Amino acid sequence: MGPLRAHGTGDIHFMELAPENWMNAGGRYGAALREFSSRLPFVCHGLSLSLGGPSPLDEPFLHRLRKFLDEHGIRCYSEHLSYCTDEGHLYDLMPIPFTGEAIRYVAGRIRRVQDILERRIAIENVSYYAAPGAELSEIEFITAVLEEAQCDLLLDVNNIYVNSINHGYDPLGFLQALPGQRIAYGHIAGHYREAEDLLVDTHGAEVVIDVWGILEEAYKAFGVFPTLLERDFNLPPISELMAEVRHITQLQTKWQAHHKTMQNDRHHRKQA
């Protein structure tokens, strides 16, 4: 946090943390978290809940998490639409089979999480590299889970692009089929190009122009929503990170103005 403290947070509107890394933090790390959470809105993005996993939900963890969310005034809690446990942690995000049975199973677990946390959560559309046992398309699966669980969506724009290349579908068609009214906030990140038809979601590179384009289409289709820049390693100088953050803000300003103009035009036409 040293470089961020030195640079200042003027360009940043909110921050995200993984609660598993911070729930038990004390000393200077706990103090640093309180310093930033007292000045900026925070959201939490979980790593270990394993919504689609065969192991029982870790309900003691959820009760501790609720206290942490309340203590720091966390605005939103999100998790991955995937699983990462099977009698122990797998240390990776595994794809949930796109089936009707999985929809009912995952949605039930999400509803239980929401009951314990006493708040709606958001689930993230994840990158995946195989679709074992699929009976439905990815978009059919995601929209059905959102509807049955009555939860929100964390829209990961980079994952749409990565999956569209790896699985050969139209990213804009996928985007437009999402229920935009459920978007709580968004993620944008970089990835690694293994081959022309294989991208790996890494959060370790700058955002590419095609991903920026999908973000613009999302703002155009759904309106502007809070958007977080993810960068987990290969960290560049903070000035470069802030340039990407400012680009998000510039796109948001552009599309806020666009939607306001469209709204005014509709109002004038209605009056006429």
Side-chain angles (χ1 to χ4, degrees):
M1 290 186 175
L4 182 58
R5 186 182 288 112
H7 180 278
T9 58
D11 295 321
I12 298 172
H13 299 149
F14 75 107
M15 299 181 74
E16 181 187 80
L17 58 80
E20 292 88 344
N21 294 337
W22 291 94
M23 284 169 61
N24 299 314
R28 65 188 180 95
Y29 293 109
L33 174 57
R34 287 189 294 275
E35 173 193 347
F36 282 95
S37 67
S38 66
R39 290 161 42 196
L40 284 166
F42 265 73
V43 296
C44 278
H45 189 41
L47 300 173
S48 64
L49 196 52
S50 197
L51 288 171
S55 304
L57 282 172
D58 188 346
E59 295 196 0
F61 165 78
L62 287 169
H63 287 287
R64 296 194 306 273
L65 174 62
R66 185 181 64 191
K67 293 179 181 178
F68 177 82
L69 300 178
D70 291 341
E71 177 185 354
H72 290 280
I74 301 298
R75 304 294 181 89
C76 181
Y77 172 72
S78 62
E79 249 290 0
H80 302 84
L81 186 56
S82 62
Y83 73 97
C84 58
T85 59
D86 186 5
E87 298 183 356
H89 279 277
L90 303 173
Y91 300 101
D92 206 348
L93 298 175
M94 308 299 291
I96 302 171
F98 300 151
T99 67
E101 181 182 5
I103 290 168
R104 293 184 291 274
Y105 178 75
V106 174
R109 285 162 71 92
I110 293 171
R111 290 194 299 270
R112 178 58 180 160
V113 170
Q114 294 183 142
D115 287 345
I116 294 174
L117 295 182
E118 298 180 343
R119 67 196 77 200
R120 286 169 70 105
I121 71 168
I123 57 170
E124 179 187 16
N125 57 298
V126 299
S127 58
Y128 65 100
Y129 305 94
E135 299 171 0
L136 305 165
S137 67
E138 179 189 356
I139 190 63
E140 290 172 329
F141 181 74
I142 291 173
T143 54
V145 170
L146 290 167
E147 179 64 26
E148 186 154 336
Q150 285 299 296
C151 64
D152 293 326
L153 173 66
L154 165 52
L155 176 59
D156 192 302
V157 175
N158 182 62
N159 287 347
I160 291 178
Y161 181 69
V162 166
N163 290 344
S164 74
I165 296 297
N166 292 344
H167 302 288
Y169 64 68
D170 172 24
L172 298 185
F174 181 96
L175 175 74
Q176 291 158 2
L178 288 168
Q181 74 278 8
R182 291 192 181 272
I183 299 173
Y185 70 105
H187 277 173
I188 191 166
H191 54 261
Y192 175 71
R193 182 173 290 274
E194 180 75 27
E196 286 302 309
D197 58 352
L198 177 58
L199 306 183
V200 181
D201 179 37
T202 61
H203 308 168
E206 64 182 10
V207 180
V208 302
I209 190 169
D210 289 339
V211 174
W212 287 121
I214 297 172
L215 181 62
E216 283 212 69
E217 289 295 330
Y219 290 159
K220 178 181 179 181
F222 306 129
V224 171
F225 48 84
T227 305
L228 183 101
L229 174 68
E230 290 187 292
R231 189 67 177 260
D232 292 345
F233 68 101
N234 289 338
L235 294 176
I238 195 163
S239 60
E240 294 182 21
L241 288 177
M242 289 302 162
E244 289 192 296
V245 170
R246 286 192 295 273
H247 189 56
I248 294 172
T249 302
Q250 290 164 0
L251 295 181
Q252 290 175 329
T253 301
K254 169 186 173 180
W255 286 102
Q256 282 172 335
H258 169 81
H259 286 293
K260 185 176 181 179
T261 299
M262 296 293 290
Q263 185 179 29
N264 289 339
D265 287 347
R266 286 193 294 269
H267 177 70
H268 292 319
R269 285 197 297 270
K270 185 176 180 181
Q271 286 187 326

